[in-house]
Amino acid sequence: MDKRLAAALQRDDAREDAGMHPDDRETCHTHQCWATECEGQHRRPTAGRLHAANLELDRIRFNNRSK
């Protein structure tokens, strides 16, 4: 991570702590990158997505017990 991005992440974190809405960030806290680099990766959770993720976790746990 370059110094400019690190400084921007800290600045956005401080602004968010001070009351800035998370959608106004220039950086992505989750991916530790510029917001424009990952804007298509953030999808709102839906019941179907949460259920699919839960089923995937169950499958992984089952496969790990079988080993």
Side-chain angles (χ1 to χ4, degrees), residues 51 54 62-63:
H51 182 64
N54 192 35
F62 179 78
N63 287 335

Side-chain angles (χ1 to χ4, degrees), residues 43-58 61:
R43 300 185 320 195
R44 294 194 182 273
T46 62
R49 286 191 190 122
L50 293 173
H51 182 64
N54 192 35
L55 290 174
E56 179 65 11
L57 288 172
D58 287 345
R61 288 184 188 120

Side-chain angles (χ1 to χ4, degrees), residues 10-48:
Q10 287 180 338
R11 186 176 57 246
D12 279 353
D13 289 344
R15 287 178 179 168
E16 195 172 343
D17 289 343
M20 178 182 79
H21 193 276
D23 289 344
D24 294 334
R25 292 182 67 100
E26 295 177 2
T27 60
C28 175
H29 178 76
T30 303
H31 298 110
Q32 298 291 295
C33 66
W34 296 104
T36 56
E37 293 175 6
C38 67
E39 61 190 337
Q41 296 179 17
H42 295 276
R43 300 185 320 195
R44 294 194 182 273
T46 62

